[in-house]
Amino acid sequence: MFSRTENVQTFIRAYPLVTLFIVIQLVVFVIDSLMPGLQIVARGGSFHLALADGQWYRLLTANFIHLGLGHLLFNSFALIIFGPAMERMVGHVRFALFYLVAGALANLLTYFTVSQLFYLQAGASGAILAILGFYVFIGRFRRTLIYSQDARLVYIFVAISAVFTLIGSNVSLWGHVYGFLAGFLLAYPLSRYTVPYSRPLRYGKYKPRKYVPPIIHTGEGKWIFYVIIGLAVFGLFARFL
């Protein structure tokens, strides 16, 4: 589900929205690097002072603007790994709406939480954490849609993201938290339209969708989920002690 075995042509045809979002953020980063005079970050980032002035479009544009090469590469890698399965499972249009809405919600709720007018948010991290929140929801409440080993992989990546969020510098703590929560909550209505993942055949085509019988989950791995969630919650509160 999360192992990418497609070639470039198959990937583009099978997951056009994931491809589009990656291309947009790459192009934006290159243009910003080559033409700093355009001030893309200043004009499109989720800058609280600008939001207070009514420039709400920044809630969306900020998701495609990155502040460094490492930030861009990490988010692109995460989107390549975790985005395709969701795009296939919920459909192209629903995936695009989910990605944009969750990312905008993460920026908006952070704006109302952090009172600093000169606070700046940029990057796809909130939307990517929303994708992980979606997987965590179906891993616990819609178990016929995801294999247990894939769910455990998501839990581990969420734990890693939580650690980097808590100890990293220049990381939007609330942007990550709200992104994850937005994805988790949006997964409730979205899961009604979700089908199990099927890997694309050559040229991006798929086998016809068939009914997949419920996947029986054993108790194996449950403790991993609760330990990870407990550590994440503890680390969140410990940051403010």
Side-chain angles (χ1 to χ4, degrees):
M1 183 173 176
F2 299 126
S3 61
R4 300 273 60 87
T5 59
E6 307 90 355
N7 58 38
V8 174
Q9 184 183 40
T10 301
F11 186 95
I12 293 173
R13 294 187 178 186
Y15 317 114
L17 272 302
V18 170
T19 303
L20 177 62
F21 292 150
I22 292 173
V23 168
I24 290 175
Q25 61 192 33
L26 288 174
V27 170
V28 169
F29 183 80
V30 170
I31 293 176
D32 186 47
S33 300
L34 296 178
M35 293 180 282
L38 293 178
Q39 299 182 332
I40 290 178
V41 174
R43 295 176 184 273
S46 184
F47 187 43
H48 285 193
L49 185 61
L51 293 175
D53 193 41
Q55 299 178 27
W56 300 112
Y57 68 88
R58 292 171 177 266
L59 298 175
L60 287 175
T61 57
N63 296 315
F64 300 99
I65 298 173
H66 292 79
L67 303 179
L69 181 60
H71 189 204
L72 171 71
L73 293 178
F74 182 83
N75 282 346
S76 297
F77 168 78
L79 187 53
I80 289 172
I81 296 299
F82 294 105
M86 184 179 178
E87 181 173 351
R88 170 58 183 160
M89 293 169 74
V90 304
H92 306 304
V93 175
R94 292 190 185 97
F95 173 76
L97 291 175
F98 173 92
Y99 189 86
L100 295 174
V101 169
L105 280 175
N107 291 329
L108 178 64
L109 293 174
T110 301
Y111 166 69
F112 287 118
T113 303
V114 180
S115 58
Q116 303 172 24
L117 286 178
F118 292 95
Y119 192 83
L120 172 68
Q121 281 197 122
S125 301
I128 292 170
L129 264 295
I131 294 175
L132 295 178
F134 168 85
Y135 289 132
V136 169
F137 178 89
I138 65 172
R140 300 314 302 165
F141 303 109
R142 298 291 188 271
R143 297 180 181 180
T144 59
L145 298 174
I146 187 171
Y147 287 105
S148 57
Q149 60 267 31
D150 292 324
R152 286 197 297 272
L153 179 61
V154 170
Y155 302 154
I156 292 170
F157 197 84
V158 168
I160 294 172
S161 299
V163 170
F164 278 103
T165 298
L166 295 169
I167 68 175
S169 58
N170 297 323
V171 175
S172 175
L173 168 65
W174 291 112
H176 287 196
V177 170
Y178 286 136
F180 179 85
L181 291 177
F184 187 87
L185 295 175
L186 289 173
Y188 177 73
L190 190 59
S191 62
R192 297 171 54 191
Y193 308 97
T194 303
V195 299
Y197 174 71
S198 58
R199 194 171 295 279
L201 301 173
R202 194 178 180 187
Y203 306 121
K205 296 182 179 180
Y206 295 88
K207 293 179 180 179
R209 293 179 178 176
K210 298 180 181 179
Y211 171 73
V212 177
I215 300 167
I216 300 176
H217 288 248
T218 64
E220 175 191 6
K222 283 187 177 180
W223 66 272
I224 300 177
F225 171 79
Y226 293 113
V227 168
I228 288 171
I229 297 301
L231 288 174
V233 172
F234 173 78
L236 176 61
F237 285 102
R239 180 166 178 163
F240 299 99
L241 296 179

